[in-house]
Amino acid sequence: MTLILHELQTFQIQSTSDLSGVKIISINKKSFSVISGSSYTSIQNGGLRDYMADMVPPIATWGSEYVLVRRNLPQFLRDYVKFVAAASGANISSIGCGPVLYHLIQEFQTYLFSMTCERVYVISDEPVLIAHFPVGVGHGDPAMLFPTPVYHYVSKYTVYIPPGFRSCSIALVMETMQVNTFSFTRFSASFTPWEVIEQSVYSTSWVKNVNSGVVEITHTSPFGGHMICERDSTIITSSIGLGNVTVKEPQEYSTSTMADISTTQNVNETLIDGDSTNTRRTTATKVVTESSTSTDGIIVSSNVTSDVTTSQTQRSGSESMLNCSCCKSPSYSDSDLPPPEILLEITNELKKTLTVPKTTTSNYVRKHTCAWDTRTSSAGIGVMGIVILCVVLGSIITLDLVTLFQKRR
């Protein structure tokens, strides 16, 4: 589909299928952003799930060398890692989990990797985007982050630790030859020893129990990592920053090539969603940060064949245009309106198409569905409540029975 957005307008794609690999191209030099996520993402067995969304890095910031760090969680044996390749595809190698693993990813396809070890060194012959899905320590709910490529590591970061979380940690990645000069004395929190990744030049460490507020981390050599925070049934995570990034200018396209743009291999941004094993609904929102003229647009190309719904919002006084092959209703200009009977027929057809049954909405489903909680404390509270109710009701019945027997005697 071809879409024209004006300043501060948004456009949303929702689908019951996986939207990973959708190509989004700006056919002019206007900047826009992409937010991708999912309202239902489950990593572990047991029904634990979370909503997640994050800003998607443009292809110009993708890398071919990454270091992934996962926490040692005996109750959860793995994190899931999702790779998506650009137009030329990619051959990736995963180092650090025993034998080196090789995998070929076709253009704009994905690969799901089960990360069972605590640290992995990833090398690719072409730039790839990686989404890492860590899970919570006590509840297994997932979060999502896009790890920073090694090429974009810098020597200074400012990290914001949000308040209200009982446990926040920062994972650090650095060349092994530089770890002895890194000082942990600036942190009031505890930290773990540096661990070397097999067959690589990198080591990792954790700074644990970091207090909320702004944390500045500096070193004489570049390093990277990510932040992760937890509380009951909630986990958030993000990379600590994207460093020396030089974003390429988008390729220009003439208006005459807009019809054939879906076959191009040179794209500016690609979506990767947050649903790794159970896909329910995936959303992607694009926001244009500069005004565009009537000949400008954004191309969205995809091989998704399942049900897709789109929605668009705009500021008052602005005009928008959407051309897509799936639109069945004809469009008319103000000077060429159809007769009233045809207009009524079109209106009724639109109402029928856009009406959503109340029982299928997520609000209705959540309201009538009990959320399973596997925590021991929750089970203990439930058992205690049952015992108290049984004791109270049993006492009343017992007193009545005693009085009944006395009167009968």
Side-chain angles (χ1 to χ4, degrees), residues 118-225:
E118 296 181 39
R119 50 196 66 85
V120 176
Y121 177 46
V122 177
I123 304 177
S124 172
D125 62 347
E126 294 290 341
V128 294
L129 180 63
I130 297 180
H132 182 187
F133 302 89
V135 296
V137 173
H139 43 77
D141 288 288
M144 178 179 69
L145 78 147
F146 296 107
T148 303
V150 171
Y151 176 75
H152 297 316
Y153 285 2
V154 293
S155 57
K156 182 179 181 179
Y157 294 97
T158 301
V159 183
Y160 174 69
I161 306 297
F165 291 87
R166 291 192 297 269
S167 174
C168 288
S169 303
I170 298 177
L172 298 175
V173 180
M174 188 179 301
E175 290 188 0
T176 303
M177 61 185 300
Q178 303 291 341
V179 298
N180 292 331
T181 59
F182 186 87
S183 175
F184 285 100
T185 57
R186 73 197 76 179
F187 301 104
S188 59
S190 59
F191 57 89
T192 62
W194 290 98
E195 297 286 346
V196 180
I197 303 176
E198 299 177 4
Q199 306 178 52
S200 78
V201 298
Y202 297 100
S203 295
T204 67
S205 178
W206 282 96
V207 181
K208 298 183 176 181
N209 302 317
V210 183
N211 296 327
S212 61
V214 177
V215 179
E216 291 190 356
I217 311 175
T218 60
H219 190 50
T220 56
S221 61
F223 63 97

Side-chain angles (χ1 to χ4, degrees), residues 27-42:
I27 63 174
N28 53 21
K29 293 186 178 181
K30 305 300 182 181
S31 301
F32 67 98
S33 61
V34 178
I35 299 174
S36 179
S38 175
S39 60
Y40 179 100
T41 302
S42 178

Side-chain angles (χ1 to χ4, degrees), residues 15 59 132:
S15 176
I59 288 182
H132 182 187

Side-chain angles (χ1 to χ4, degrees), residues 47 67 80 85 99 147 186 208 228-230 263 280 302 320 347 367 371 406:
V67 175
Y80 281 110
R186 73 197 76 179
K208 298 183 176 181
I228 186 168
C229 292
E230 281 194 70
T263 61
R280 193 174 187 178
S302 172
S320 60
T347 304
K367 186 182 296 183
Q406 289 177 350

Side-chain angles (χ1 to χ4, degrees), residues 248-377:
K248 302 176 183 177
E249 288 294 331
Q251 180 177 348
E252 282 195 72
Y253 296 93
S254 62
T255 308
S256 60
T257 62
M258 291 176 63
D260 302 326
I261 202 67
S262 61
T263 61
T264 185
Q265 299 286 315
N266 191 348
V267 300
N268 297 109
E269 299 216 8
T270 300
L271 294 185
I272 180 168
D273 73 295
D275 201 346
S276 60
T277 57
N278 294 326
T279 306
R280 193 174 187 178
R281 169 162 291 195
T282 309
T283 63
T285 305
K286 301 176 291 302
V287 183
V288 175
T289 57
E290 298 183 27
S291 299
S292 59
T293 63
S294 59
T295 60
D296 301 333
I298 296 174
I299 300 298
V300 181
S301 175
S302 172
N303 294 324
V304 177
T305 57
S306 61
D307 296 335
V308 177
T309 61
T310 60
S311 60
Q312 185 175 10
T313 62
Q314 65 182 63
R315 300 177 63 186
S316 59
S318 300
E319 295 180 358
S320 60
M321 179 181 70
L322 172 64
N323 300 321
C324 60
S325 59
C326 59
C327 299
K328 298 180 181 179
S329 301
S331 59
Y332 301 90
S333 64
D334 294 338
S335 61
D336 188 24
L337 288 176
E341 58 273 10
I342 297 180
L343 188 60
L344 179 61
E345 182 181 349
I346 295 173
T347 304
N348 293 334
E349 183 67 23
L350 286 174
K351 287 182 180 180
K352 186 185 301 183
T353 303
L354 298 176
T355 300
V356 178
K358 179 181 178 181
T359 56
T360 62
T361 62
S362 58
N363 184 31
Y364 182 90
V365 173
R366 289 196 301 267
K367 186 182 296 183
H368 295 81
T369 304
C370 295
W372 180 256
D373 196 335
T374 58
R375 291 176 295 174
T376 306
S377 59

